[in-house]
Every structure is written in structure tokens, then in C-alpha cells.
Amino acid sequence: MAIVSIPSSFPTITHSSFHLPKRKRFSGMAFANLSSETSLGVKVTEGNGKLPKVVLSSVDGSEAEIYLFGDCVTSWKVANGKDLLFVRPDAIFDGKKPISGGIPHCFPQFGPGAIQQHGFARNMNWSIADSESVEGNPIITLELKDDPYSRSMWDFSFKALYKVILNANSLSTVLTVTNTDNRPFSFSSALHTYFRASITGVSVKGLNGCKTLNKDPDPKNPLESIENRDAITFPGFVDCVYLDAPNDIQLENGLGDVISIRNQNWSDAVLWNPNKTMEQCYRDFVCVENAQIQEVQLEPKQTWTSEQHLRLSALVEVE
């Protein structure tokens, strides 16, 4: 096996770089042809359980898949075909239960609380608002608005836009939440990202010095502490929140890959591996999540935006 270094420079992505000419616009879930290409490298097709999904393909050979149900990114493959995300073997694609794996949304609630676990955004159909291709790199924007289902739990009017940008060695997302109600509302959120891994070899760096809320052993009464490790490993069950986390974390996935997890305006991070409580697959993934634990309050017409940039820094190729 040979370790291949990827150039360390991370493309600077700013909000202004996303305001590009639009190629085509789509709304709603009606697709007469589930093999349609909306823009170069952006194709709508049929996925598991006959659910609509979008396949992004870059000119460099990388690929990503996004299910419109839950707006869940379920696959991110780099040019050599290696998938860096993980979908659990118990995942159900029935349009009723949230998809277990990939990058599920937690909105407007992270974790347990007044409404259903992790909110409703991962359990609703999103629509395609826009798609385009820039220099061979596909970009898609999906949209979610309130409906009777969301209002039965959280009685506010809102609009969420989720932009996904695929490049040769990176996958970036931009989440924008707008208060379209005439009253203020508050929410918490997270991207519950499942990375493919060999858990005995996983380490996460960049969180030394953060205040922690450790949910092991009692998730209802997390232990407060300060992280003092340079490299966090996963010898057993891990469910820990890192408050005021830095905007750059490094994941070594135990399979030879190093992934940079950068963010803008996600205030916290969460590490999770269920260990033997999920005997079937815990060895094969780790969750490293960007999160907003403290609730954000938005006044009418205000917006909140956060970005996540995943980049492959190094990988192992089998010779």
C-alpha cells in the first residue's frame, strides 16, 4: 500500500462564490423522468426504495449521492472510487424513517427535546431549488419549507436552503435558515456525519482544550470537563459534545485516509461511536459532527448560515 498526499491547500469558498449564473431551476418533488440531468454532472435518478436521489459527478472522477428524502448525502467517493461516508446496514429507505448514515440533518432540534429526536428535517422531502456546474464541478441547492407535518411539532414558518458543492477531493455544504414567520423562533442544529472507518485506528485531532459535555455514562446528566488529549481515540462507547470547537478538525479514519473537517459558524463538535450497543457495524464508522448546540434565535426575515468543508488530505491506495 502507498500513502498518497493530497495538496494541502484548501480552496477558499466564500458566500459570494456561490452567487453564480443559474442554469436550471426545479421545485417540488414531481419528476416525470427519474433519469433526468438537470445540469452537467447533476443527475436525478431512482435510489434505494425507489426514492429520488441526486448523483453529482465531477470531471475529476469524484461522485456524491443525495437523497431528497431528508436531504441526506449518503455517499462521497473520491476519484479512486473509495467512499469516505458510511451508511449503516440497518438503514431503511422507505420515505418514513430517517436514513441512518451519510450526513443526516438535525433541525430544528439536536438530540432529544420537545419534538422528535433530532427534529424533522431528516424526515421530510426536500425539493431541488437550483443546480449548476462550474468548471466541471457540480453544485446543487435543495430547499425545505414548513408544512402541516412540521407545524404539528414546531409551529413556525421557515425556509432552509442546503447547497452541496463537489470538487475533486472535497465536499462542501452551506446551510441557510430563514425565518419567514412573523414571530421570532429559536433552533439548534447539526450535521450528523458518519465517516467510514476502522474504529480501532481512528483518531480525531484539534479539540484539545475544549470544554466537553460527556454523555457517558448518563446522557441526561453529562459530565463537564476539559479535553486534554491531542488525539482522541475510541476504545469504547463515545458520545461527547465539544463546546466552542475550533473551525478545523482532522480525522484519521483508521483506513489510511486523513480528512480535514472545516467549518464556518458551526459553534460546536460532537464525537459519537455506539461501540457494542450497535454490534453489527460500530467497528466500521465514526461520527464527527459539526453542531450548533446553543439555540440560535432568528427574528422575522433574519437568516443564519453555516458551512462545512470536508477535504481529503491523504489516502492509501492499494498497489
Side-chain angles (χ1 to χ4, degrees):
M1 294 188 296
I3 297 178
V4 179
S5 295
I6 306 296
S8 58
S9 58
F10 202 107
T12 300
I13 300 178
T14 62
H15 297 310
S16 61
S17 67
F18 295 126
H19 297 295
L20 299 167
K22 296 171 182 174
R23 306 291 174 83
K24 293 186 180 181
R25 289 191 74 85
F26 292 80
S27 62
M29 287 290 297
F31 291 96
N33 179 5
L34 280 182
S35 293
S36 60
E37 190 165 34
T38 66
S39 295
L40 184 64
V42 181
K43 184 177 181 180
V44 181
T45 186
E46 188 175 87
N48 292 332
K50 297 184 178 180
L51 295 177
K53 74 174 180 180
V54 179
V55 179
L56 305 182
S57 303
S58 81
V59 292
D60 301 291
S62 59
E63 186 175 282
E65 295 182 357
I66 310 161
Y67 277 79
L68 299 187
F69 178 72
D71 189 17
C72 186
V73 181
T74 54
S75 177
W76 169 35
K77 294 179 181 177
V78 289
N80 70 350
K82 180 181 285 191
D83 200 333
L84 299 175
L85 299 180
F86 181 81
V87 174
R88 285 166 28 189
D90 62 344
I92 296 174
F93 293 81
D94 63 357
K96 298 177 182 178
K97 180 180 174 60
I99 298 169
S100 300
I103 311 179
H105 286 277
C106 301
F107 175 86
Q109 175 182 287
F110 174 72
I115 64 176
Q116 67 185 30
Q117 174 86 359
H118 290 322
F120 50 70
R122 63 183 189 150
N123 205 37
M124 294 178 66
N125 290 317
W126 294 56
S127 61
I128 298 177
D130 186 41
S131 66
E132 59 187 304
S133 179
V134 177
E135 297 180 352
N137 296 311
I139 302 172
I140 191 164
T141 302
L142 295 105
E143 180 181 73
L144 182 69
K145 293 182 178 180
D146 56 285
D147 69 2
Y149 173 73
S150 70
R151 281 184 168 270
S152 69
M153 291 173 273
W154 196 63
D155 192 20
F156 294 101
S157 174
F158 72 92
K159 181 174 75 172
L161 294 174
Y162 191 59
K163 190 182 292 282
V164 182
I165 307 99
L166 180 69
N167 284 279
N169 296 304
S170 66
L171 181 74
S172 298
T173 62
V174 182
L175 175 63
T176 302
V177 178
T178 302
N179 182 349
T180 57
D181 209 296
N182 57 11
R183 302 164 294 159
F185 63 63
S186 58
F187 65 92
S188 57
S189 186
L191 296 178
H192 197 340
T193 309
Y194 287 71
F195 291 98
R196 189 174 300 276
S198 175
I199 197 63
T200 56
V202 168
S203 69
V204 176
K205 299 177 181 178
L207 293 170
N208 193 346
C210 289
K211 180 180 179 179
T212 61
L213 300 176
N214 190 349
K215 297 183 180 182
D216 181 30
D218 184 358
K220 294 182 179 179
N221 294 287
L223 299 174
E224 295 186 13
S225 187
I226 300 294
E227 180 59 67
N228 58 14
R229 294 170 292 178
D230 289 328
I232 300 162
T233 57
F234 294 76
F237 178 85
V238 173
D239 188 359
C240 191
V241 174
Y242 291 79
L243 300 176
D244 298 320
N247 61 11
D248 196 350
I249 301 170
Q250 295 80 45
L251 165 66
E252 296 182 16
N253 65 7
L255 300 171
D257 309 308
V258 179
I259 300 168
S260 169
I261 304 168
R262 291 180 55 187
N263 83 84
Q264 292 183 29
N265 211 32
W266 288 107
S267 59
D268 313 298
V270 181
L271 302 184
W272 180 66
N273 182 270
N275 200 254
K276 294 181 181 179
T277 62
M278 200 174 288
E279 179 68 33
Q280 184 181 16
C281 62
Y282 80 89
R283 301 173 184 85
D284 302 320
F285 76 89
V286 64
C287 285
V288 183
E289 311 169 32
N290 279 315
Q292 178 68 44
I293 303 299
Q294 184 175 356
E295 289 194 337
V296 174
Q297 178 163 314
L298 287 184
E299 298 296 325
K301 299 183 180 180
Q302 282 189 335
T303 63
W304 175 84
T305 299
S306 61
E307 303 182 13
Q308 173 173 275
H309 307 296
L310 308 179
R311 181 177 177 84
L312 181 64
S313 300
L315 75 158
V316 168
E317 290 186 342
V318 179
E319 296 179 334

